[in-house]
Amino acid sequence: GGYKDISDLLLNSPSDISRTTHIRPQDVTRILKAVCRECASPIHKIKDLPLEGEENITTGDVELDGMLGGGIRTGMLWEVVGESAAGKTQFALQLSLLVQLPSRLGGILGSTFYLTVASQLQTTRMDQILNTHPLLSPSLCSFANIQHTTVPTIDKLIFVLSKSLPQYISANAQN
């Protein structure tokens, strides 16, 4: 099927793998689960991890930053929940750009590893944010600093979080 390594395999849907390899879908699912079990690092509780970073990233909203004690603090896991159409995706897309700002504007000159469950990265919407938000500009932020991966299954999510994300962090920490 043209799959060269585990990442190629895990970042494709079971139906695509089945179609290209001529393996029954239920067998592909069984194989993917076995590969993920073998490759995944154990997931650690955040309380057991060393505290890394005391920097804050602006949310782009002065009032929200104030309520959060200065913005989104690094070194923590944040979960954003809300009703449908409450602005969760807008917030995540905006943070993907704001993290790239220099510290004087509330960023950390960082990059983003953006995960979606079933959709592609909404670049048109992100471009609108980039060109209309008062803190953002194309001279300060770039789509090149945003890595996107779709994780349609729990197995793929675990693989990405335990393998792909740490590799991305290591590669970007050296730059």
Side-chain angles (χ1 to χ4, degrees):
Y3 302 102
K4 296 181 183 116
D5 59 28
I6 292 172
S7 292
D8 285 346
L9 190 65
L10 292 176
L11 296 176
N12 281 284
S13 70
S15 60
D16 286 346
I17 295 168
S18 178
R19 185 177 32 77
T20 59
T21 61
H22 306 290
I23 298 174
R24 295 181 322 161
Q26 56 268 44
D27 291 337
V28 169
T29 300
R30 185 178 46 75
I31 292 167
L32 289 174
K33 284 183 181 183
V35 167
C36 287
R37 267 193 313 274
E38 284 298 315
C39 293
S41 298
I43 296 177
H44 303 281
K45 293 181 180 179
I46 195 155
K47 69 180 180 95
D48 298 334
L49 298 175
L51 183 61
E52 295 180 22
E54 296 281 333
E55 298 171 296
N56 288 330
I57 303 162
T58 182
T59 62
D61 181 283
V62 176
E63 290 183 36
L64 183 55
D65 284 350
M67 287 187 268
L68 296 173
I72 302 289
R73 198 177 108 214
T74 62
M76 296 181 68
L77 177 65
W78 291 81
E79 181 177 11
V80 178
V81 297
E83 298 283 331
S84 178
K88 299 178 300 293
T89 300
Q90 178 83 9
F91 187 59
L93 293 172
Q94 187 168 299
L95 287 175
S96 295
L97 295 166
L98 290 166
V99 71
Q100 298 177 46
L101 293 174
S103 59
R104 65 182 169 78
L105 295 175
I108 58 170
L109 291 173
S111 59
T112 302
F113 196 88
Y114 196 103
L115 304 178
T116 56
V117 176
S119 63
Q120 293 299 312
L121 187 62
Q122 298 180 17
T123 54
T124 302
R125 191 166 166 192
M126 191 175 286
D127 193 50
Q128 291 169 341
I129 297 168
L130 178 60
N131 289 298
T132 58
H133 193 284
L135 289 175
L136 299 171
S137 75
S139 65
L140 296 171
C141 306
S142 165
F143 290 176
N145 293 320
I146 301 169
Q147 171 71 38
H148 173 256
T149 301
T150 302
V151 288
T153 66
I154 294 295
D155 292 330
K156 288 186 182 180
L157 175 63
I158 291 170
F159 177 80
V160 167
L161 292 177
S162 65
K163 297 292 181 187
S164 302
L165 180 58
Q167 289 171 357
Y168 177 79
I169 291 169
S170 293
N172 282 284
Q174 296 168 1
N175 292 337

